[in-house]
Amino acid sequence: GMALPFVMYIAFAMFAMLNVITGVFVESAMANAREENNEDLVARLREAVEGMKVSGSGHLTWENFERKLYSKQMQDYLRSVDLDPSEAEALFRLLDSDSSGTVDAEDFIMACLRLHG
């Protein structure tokens, strides 16, 4: 009479363990994908931002930024991180705390990523 409950218990324990293993595997795969995706986003954003920099510095100026904001490349990029141009503009203004019209390019890239999640 004890065989069936015992077999059921073993089957349940195996099932639970497999679930845990699958969960861990999927979670680590998702984390890797997120990381790769972020690296890809950083590379794309650096590319998009490159043309906005003041030559020889790591800064973006508002004039360059505004001029490039509506370019096809920048539009595509912003769409890929779920930002619209007005949000990118707000982000620029937010980072430009001293209202100098320039922001650090890396700061802008990192802020975009943080907004992206």
Side-chain angles (χ1 to χ4, degrees), residues 10-84:
I10 297 291
F12 178 76
M14 291 295 289
F15 180 72
M17 218 164 68
L18 278 174
N19 255 349
V20 169
I21 291 168
T22 305
V24 167
F25 180 73
V26 167
E27 183 51 46
S28 89
M30 294 289 284
N32 279 347
R34 264 197 305 274
E35 232 165 75
E36 277 169 28
N37 194 13
N38 275 354
E39 281 168 28
D40 187 41
L41 287 177
V42 169
R44 284 221 303 281
L45 185 53
R46 282 211 174 98
E47 216 172 273
V49 161
E50 203 52 51
M52 297 181 191
K53 283 187 190 173
V54 180
S55 53
S57 84
H59 289 87
L60 305 178
T61 63
W62 176 245
E63 295 80 52
N64 287 1
F65 185 75
E66 197 175 25
R67 204 175 318 123
K68 284 276 199 305
L69 188 56
Y70 294 95
S71 72
K72 169 109 176 69
Q73 185 191 18
M74 200 59 189
Q75 293 282 315
D76 289 345
Y77 175 75
L78 290 171
R79 250 196 309 279
S80 74
V81 290
D82 305 321
L83 284 179
D84 64 54

